[in-house]
Amino acid sequence: GENVEQHPSTLSVQEGDSAVIKCTYSDSASNYFPWYKQELGKRPQLIIDIRSNVGEKKDQRIAVTLNKTAKHFSLHITETQPEDSAVYFCAASRKTGNQFYFGTGTSLTVIP
Amino acid sequence: EPEVTQTPSHQVTQMGQEVILRCVPISNHLYFYWYRQILGQKVEFLVSFYNNEISEKSEIFDDQFSVERPDGSNFTLKIRSTKLEDSAMYFCASSEALWQYFGPGTRLTVT
């Protein structure tokens, strides 16, 4: 089955700096890669996603890149703010209705 | 914006007891899922459900677990005889297509 690895497990940045979280996957059949943000005690919320036919996608301060050949994808947050502090999970999936395979999470702390 | 809802928010039960966790998926969604998250760990898939049957399940989803869609709105997860290691946050999710929307979770504590 699919194995998703995520690094780093913890990340601290100064407010205004950029944060990068990286994930790798093992199943070449995976073609959909969402990112979730989970604040303490709350539900995971989808913040951005990318499909395998696209190399990069951007939404305001958040961007995701995908390298299918190397089987890795990354989340980039620019101009970080304290409210970006949360645990971020990457995931991989094959198609609609299939399970998401989650990474182990990155705890991001933005220091004011 | 419609959201997935779950009840109860917290369930405490004794080892060996049966529990039923309830979810109301978003109304036009066709795919339903249960995941669990042990404290401090990653989210793990349990089961997916489509067209009134299980479409995929993980190794965690053994004979102690079952799912049901008893009516047009609810989606339930039953654990027949709970074990200490079943203590976790259980998330229901639903999707119309690729995006999966998560509920707020039920924290299950088995004592």
Side-chain angles (χ1 to χ4, degrees):
Chain A
E2 174 66 279
N3 181 39
V4 177
E5 296 192 353
Q6 184 172 348
H7 301 280
S9 57
T10 60
L11 179 60
S12 290
V13 299
Q14 292 288 333
E15 182 177 357
D17 286 351
S18 295
V20 180
I21 302 170
K22 299 182 179 183
C23 288
T24 61
Y25 63 99
S26 61
D27 187 355
S28 56
S30 290
N31 57 16
Y32 175 65
F33 308 93
W35 285 88
Y36 283 82
K37 175 183 179 181
Q38 186 179 28
E39 296 176 36
L40 191 62
K42 297 190 176 180
R43 74 184 78 196
Q45 292 205 305
L46 180 72
I47 56 171
I48 196 167
D49 59 356
I50 191 166
R51 301 188 191 193
S52 60
N53 58 346
V54 174
E56 184 174 357
K57 183 176 178 181
K58 191 172 180 180
D59 182 5
Q60 300 182 342
R61 297 186 297 108
I62 295 174
V64 57
T65 58
L66 170 65
N67 182 327
K68 276 199 71 178
T69 305
K71 295 196 187 73
H72 66 71
F73 56 112
S74 301
L75 177 72
H76 303 252
I77 307 174
T78 58
E79 300 171 26
T80 53
Q81 301 167 1
E83 50 265 39
D84 294 330
S85 296
V87 178
Y88 291 81
F89 290 96
C90 63
S93 177
R94 287 186 174 191
K95 62 177 183 178
T96 298
N98 276 183
Q99 64 172 293
F100 282 1
Y101 293 89
F102 282 89
T104 47
T106 296
S107 177
L108 173 65
T109 302
V110 180
I111 303 164
Chain B
E1 185 177 329
E3 288 188 330
V4 176
T5 59
Q6 289 183 245
T7 54
S9 57
H10 193 185
Q11 174 88 50
V12 181
T13 189
Q14 289 192 327
M15 194 168 51
Q17 296 297 304
E18 175 183 288
V19 294
I20 298 176
L21 309 183
R22 302 180 192 279
C23 168
V24 178
I26 294 172
S27 61
N28 62 329
H29 287 185
L30 301 176
Y31 301 88
F32 315 116
Y33 316 82
W34 283 101
Y35 291 86
R36 79 172 186 190
Q37 185 178 31
I38 295 170
L39 189 64
Q41 298 186 23
K42 68 177 175 181
V43 178
E44 299 176 290
F45 171 77
L46 294 177
V47 65
S48 59
F49 193 87
Y50 172 72
N51 201 24
N52 285 318
E53 60 183 24
I54 291 173
S55 50
E56 196 177 10
K57 61 182 181 179
S58 72
E59 293 175 351
I60 302 168
F61 194 87
D62 61 21
D63 291 344
Q64 295 298 313
F65 291 87
S66 62
V67 289
E68 194 176 35
R69 188 154 164 81
D71 53 43
S73 59
N74 290 283
F75 179 52
T76 62
L77 174 70
K78 181 193 288 186
I79 309 175
R80 260 179 277 281
S81 178
T82 50
K83 301 183 279 249
L84 293 176
E85 53 264 38
D86 293 328
S87 295
M89 179 74 90
Y90 287 80
F91 290 104
C92 172
S94 70
S95 72
E96 184 180 20
L98 285 168
W99 285 27
Q100 292 184 19
Y101 294 84
F102 280 71
T106 292
R107 179 162 297 286
L108 176 65
T109 303
V110 182
T111 62

